[in-house]
Amino acid sequence: MLGGQYYLIAFILAVIVVWFTTPLINHWGRRAGYVDQPSARKMHHRPMVRLGGVSIFLGSLVALLVVWNLGAFGAMSTKGEWEVWGVVLGGLAFFGIGLFDDLFDLSPFSRLLAQVAIASVVWNMGVRIDFFTLPFLGNLVYLNILSLPITVIWLVGLANAINWIDGLDGLAAGVCGIAAVVLFVLCLFMEQSEAALIAAALAGGALGFLRYNFNPAQIFMGDGGAYFMGFTLGAVAVIGLVKVAAMATVAVTAVLLPYLVLAVPILDMSVVILSRVIKGKSPFKADKGHLHHRLINAGISHRLTVLFIYALTLWAGSLALGFSNIPSGWGFAIGATVLLIYLGWQVWRNSRNVEEQD
C-alpha cells in the first residue's frame, strides 16, 4: 500500500489548481462570449460562463502527473498500466468531447457516437466489466461477448447521467465530489492504490470547484466537466471495485458497490428516460423531469434542494461502505441516515408551508 501522503498531495494539488485557474477561465470565457444564456428550462437568470470543467480537468490531471512523477504509481504490471492509462486518456477524450460541445454546440448524435467510440477503445485497454456475481452467493457469471456493450453502456451512461443532473448551482460538482470520496475509501480498503489515487485527485477537483460553483454560482462546469467527471467515476469504479470482486471477501454483487455509490445520478437518469418514453417523447429531449426540478417546483429552495441530494448521495455511498465490510462502515451509514432524515424532514416541512400558502 502507498503512503497516505500521496493521496493527500493529489487531493490538495487538485484543489489548489482549481482555485487558481477557475477565476482566469471565468474571465476569459466572459470576454470570449462562451456563456450559457438563461432560458425557460434552465434555472439561472443571467449569462454564466460554461467552461469551469477546464479547471476541474486541469486540477485532476496536474495532481495525477505530480504524484506519478513522485513515484506514487510505483511498479505496476503491464495490465495495470494499461488500465490506468485507459482511465486517464478516456477522461481526456470525454473532456474533449464536452469542451468541443461547450464551444461549438455538437449535435446529440455526434456526441453519443464519439462517446461510444472512446468507451470501446477504453474497454480494449482493460477498463472493462468482465463478470458479475450473484447476490449474496458469490458465484461468478462471466459476460463474455456482452462485456463490451455493458461496459460501454456503463461508462457512456454515467458521463451523461452526471451531465443531466448538472442543473443547479453546485449539484453535479458536489455529487461527484461525494461519490469520489466514497470510491476513494472503498478502493483504499480493497488495496487498489492506483484507482484510489485517481479518485483522490477527482475528489479534489470536484470539491475545490464548489468554491465558485455553489449557490450562487460564479461559473458552470459545462459539458466538459460533467463528461470528464462522469466517465472517470465510472472507470475508477470498474478498475477499483468490479475488478477485485473475484478476490474480495464481500458478500455482495460485483456491481452493487459502484451502483450504490453512483445511485443518485443513475436512478435520476433512468426515471427521466422512462417517464419520457411513457409520454411518447424522445428520451433525449430535455425537460424539467429531474429530481432537482421536481423539488424546486414543490417550493423547495435552491440550496435545500442541493443539500438534500448531497445527503441522498452520501447515504447511498455509506451503504456501499457498510456492505463492503469496512470497519465502522455501518456506523457511517447510520450517521448518513440521520442526516438524510433531517434534511428530508426539512424538505417536507418547506413543501407543506408552500402548499398551505397556496
Side-chain angles (χ1 to χ4, degrees):
M1 288 293 292
L2 290 175
Q5 71 272 16
Y6 290 115
Y7 305 113
L8 188 60
I9 289 172
F11 179 85
I12 292 177
L13 266 180
V15 171
I16 291 173
V17 172
V18 169
W19 280 2
F20 278 94
T21 58
T22 301
L24 300 176
I25 293 168
N26 195 16
H27 177 71
W28 178 82
R30 289 191 182 280
R31 293 191 60 182
Y34 294 119
V35 296
D36 197 11
Q37 299 291 343
S39 69
R41 185 181 64 84
K42 298 176 180 178
M43 306 302 295
H44 61 286
H45 304 292
R46 59 187 177 88
M48 298 287 291
V49 174
R50 57 176 183 266
L51 300 177
V54 175
S55 65
I56 298 174
F57 172 75
L58 287 176
S60 303
L61 182 62
V62 168
L64 288 176
L65 289 175
V66 169
V67 294
W68 190 304
N69 189 57
L70 292 174
F73 285 89
M76 289 185 293
S77 64
T78 301
K79 180 174 177 291
E81 284 188 11
W82 274 105
E83 291 177 357
V84 170
W85 278 112
V87 176
V88 174
L89 295 179
L92 170 62
F94 266 75
F95 167 72
I97 294 169
L99 180 62
F100 208 82
D101 183 49
D102 290 328
L103 297 176
F104 305 110
D105 292 324
L106 299 177
S107 69
F109 178 76
S110 62
R111 293 200 305 267
L112 183 61
L113 187 63
Q115 290 170 356
V116 169
I118 297 302
S120 300
V121 172
V122 167
W123 174 86
N124 196 50
M125 296 177 72
V127 183
R128 58 176 67 178
I129 301 172
D130 287 324
F131 57 82
F132 65 91
T133 56
L134 296 177
F136 305 104
L137 296 178
N139 297 329
L140 288 179
V141 178
Y142 286 89
L143 296 174
N144 299 317
I145 61 173
L146 294 178
S147 172
L148 175 59
I150 288 178
T151 302
V152 168
I153 290 172
W154 171 257
L155 296 175
V156 173
L158 271 174
N160 286 278
I162 297 302
N163 193 41
W164 282 17
I165 68 167
D166 186 25
L168 293 180
D169 296 353
L171 181 55
V175 166
C176 288
I178 293 169
V181 170
V182 175
L183 276 177
F184 164 73
V185 174
L186 289 169
C187 291
L188 202 60
F189 177 70
M190 296 184 181
E191 299 184 356
Q192 299 299 301
S193 302
E194 292 82 13
L197 275 170
I198 299 173
L202 188 65
L207 296 177
F209 187 64
L210 284 177
R211 176 179 179 182
Y212 303 101
N213 185 237
F214 194 73
N215 181 259
Q218 302 174 40
I219 186 173
F220 292 160
M221 71 172 63
D223 288 357
Y227 287 160
F228 168 68
M229 290 198 296
F231 167 84
T232 306
L233 285 171
V236 168
V238 170
I239 70 169
L241 302 182
V242 176
K243 289 286 185 181
V244 300
M247 65 187 79
T249 56
V250 290
V252 291
T253 63
V255 294
L256 177 59
L257 296 183
Y259 183 82
L260 278 174
V261 175
L262 300 161
V264 171
I266 291 173
L267 289 176
D268 181 68
M269 184 172 74
S270 301
V271 170
V272 168
I273 289 177
L274 181 62
S275 174
R276 291 172 184 173
V277 170
I278 291 176
K279 295 176 182 177
K281 299 179 180 178
S282 167
F284 305 107
K285 180 67 175 178
D287 57 20
K288 286 192 172 184
H290 294 279
L291 174 60
H292 56 272
H293 289 132
R294 296 177 185 274
L295 291 171
I296 292 291
N297 291 337
I300 310 305
S301 70
H302 190 127
R303 287 197 172 192
L304 181 55
T305 295
V306 171
L307 291 175
F308 175 73
I309 298 177
Y310 283 179
L312 200 58
T313 305
L314 181 62
W315 175 73
S318 71
L319 292 181
L321 296 179
F323 281 120
S324 65
N325 294 329
I326 286 179
S328 302
W330 287 114
F332 286 114
I334 292 172
T337 302
V338 172
L339 177 62
L340 180 62
I341 290 173
Y342 171 74
L343 287 174
W345 173 71
Q346 291 285 353
V347 167
W348 175 82
R349 189 184 69 169
N350 277 264
S351 63
R352 285 294 301 271
N353 289 338
V354 171
E355 291 176 1
E356 291 173 359
Q357 290 173 3
D358 291 340

